[in-house]
Amino acid sequence: MLPLLLAACTGTEEGSPTLRLAVLTDGGATLRTVTTGGIAGQPAPTEVTVPVTGGVSLDTLPGGTRTALTLAGGIESRDVNLATPQAFAALPFSPVCLTTTAASAARDRLLTLSACPNAAQQLALYRSDGTLIWTATLPTFTPPIPGLDTPPIRLAVLGDTAVVARPALGGGSEVLRAAPATVGDPVATVTTPLPSPAIRDLAPYGSSLLAATDTGVQALGSTGLPDAAQAVAAFGAQRVDRLWTNASGDRSLLAAWRDNTVSGTSSEPLRLWDGVRANAAIVAYIDRLRDVTLAPDGNLYALTPFALTRYDTVFGLQQGNWQPATLLGGLNDARAVTWLVP
């Protein structure tokens, strides 16, 4: 695993480790890179822009040298130059309309959902090398009339078990779990949907799965439903719409944000918790936050539809000085960001 570099971070460009960020922009039609820092006297890696078709999301793979790019038609991995595409194993169902992918905390599993119109929803669990572990057909889904307060479909994976939260017809969410009945089964067994309070997002955190709810951040209990008794007190009892974590066992960070297009405010605070302090710290107030990546160089990278901004988590958590810096501006409908090691 890539070693953590937080302790060595100085908060300045000189001497900080060089990472490359991959950004999915133009509504999923363009994949590009940007270099985050560098060693003095050494040239920065060449930045790359490539067209893609139907881009959905990005996930860093173990080791940090490749990214998993989810496209509507399938998943592929690419290197730090966005080259040498390697397709993940073909899915055994048709049609394929991938809409979202979630990685495990260790990045060794990727769970993806196919949701084609007028077709059953399908799950697929992959290893990070692109081999297929299992697939599952979900029970019939009747989507509610969409609105600003309709919960989204969210995925999470822990081991070889998947959790799906999707909007329920009568309000709130419903939760399903999928796992093979026997190790090695290529088809997973899916539980009956359980009604749940609205789940806005899901994220792995250590050995748990966390849910963003209207009353704060809560761990999923043994049934797969949010458990108010296992709430993350650092975020209080206010509504949360998005969650992001890193994969560090030494210093696990958890970021949370409420969607300002729902709250009707000009922006909402992006908050960060280090797993220790009593209250999460406010990084910045952000309008229309699309994605966050917590990188091993000690920085948080926040993506809006229009810009990519860096925040120093070391100085921010210690001194309240987040040292924001815009890395990319003038973006068009940016969707996802992740880090890579050149």
Side-chain angles (χ1 to χ4, degrees):
M1 178 181 292
L2 183 73
L4 273 182
L5 301 170
L6 287 169
C9 181
T10 65
T12 63
E13 287 293 324
E14 183 175 354
S16 63
T18 302
L19 291 183
R20 186 176 292 187
L21 299 178
V23 182
L24 185 63
T25 186
D26 295 327
T30 303
L31 187 60
R32 63 176 295 181
T33 64
V34 62
T35 302
T36 67
I39 306 300
Q42 296 185 10
T46 302
E47 294 174 6
V48 183
T49 300
V50 298
V52 296
T53 301
V56 175
S57 64
L58 296 168
D59 292 282
T60 303
L61 295 176
T65 59
R66 297 188 71 87
T67 182
L69 167 64
T70 299
L71 304 166
I75 301 177
E76 63 184 31
S77 74
R78 294 191 176 223
D79 65 18
V80 295
N81 297 312
L82 307 182
T84 64
Q86 298 175 3
F88 278 36
L91 293 166
F93 51 78
S94 181
V96 173
C97 309
L98 301 187
T99 58
T100 184
T101 295
S104 64
R107 310 182 193 278
D108 61 342
R109 297 289 189 271
L110 286 98
L111 177 69
T112 192
L113 173 72
S114 179
C116 298
N118 304 314
Q121 292 181 335
Q122 304 273 358
L123 282 180
L125 182 65
Y126 283 100
R127 296 181 184 87
S128 58
D129 64 3
T131 58
L132 188 61
I133 300 174
W134 55 251
T135 60
T137 302
L138 298 185
T140 301
F141 175 56
T142 304
I145 297 174
L148 282 178
D149 212 34
T150 302
I153 297 175
R154 296 298 191 197
L155 311 179
V157 57
L158 190 63
D160 287 345
T161 299
V163 175
V164 179
R166 60 188 189 181
L169 190 59
S173 297
E174 60 182 22
V175 175
L176 308 93
R177 289 180 294 168
T182 304
V183 176
D185 285 355
V187 177
T189 300
V190 182
T191 61
T192 301
L194 290 176
S196 168
I199 294 175
R200 309 293 177 179
D201 204 359
L202 293 168
Y205 190 73
S207 60
S208 302
L209 295 177
L210 299 180
T213 76
D214 292 353
T215 53
V217 179
Q218 301 172 7
L220 299 186
S222 58
T223 62
L225 301 180
D227 184 354
Q230 300 185 62
V232 180
F235 290 101
Q238 58 192 295
R239 173 169 165 168
V240 173
D241 287 282
R242 295 296 309 275
L243 293 172
W244 296 272
T245 63
N246 64 358
S248 163
D250 297 327
R251 191 176 187 223
S252 295
L253 300 176
L254 175 63
W257 181 73
R258 181 175 181 183
D259 188 343
N260 70 297
T261 63
V262 175
S263 67
T265 59
S266 60
S267 62
E268 287 285 344
L270 173 63
R271 295 180 290 160
L272 186 69
W273 185 51
D274 61 1
V276 177
R277 63 185 60 218
N279 297 300
I282 294 177
V283 178
Y285 284 80
I286 300 180
D287 175 27
R288 286 172 284 180
L289 183 61
R290 285 283 176 85
D291 198 11
V292 163
T293 189
L294 293 156
D297 62 356
N299 291 307
L300 177 155
Y301 298 91
L303 182 71
T304 71
F306 318 110
L308 175 67
T309 305
R310 179 184 62 212
Y311 299 91
D312 188 320
T313 67
V314 177
F315 274 70
L317 290 171
Q318 291 178 352
Q319 304 175 14
N321 180 10
W322 299 93
Q323 303 187 98
T326 300
L327 299 184
L328 292 174
L331 297 175
N332 172 46
D333 194 10
R335 300 290 182 89
V337 61
T338 199
W339 58 267
L340 292 165
V341 181

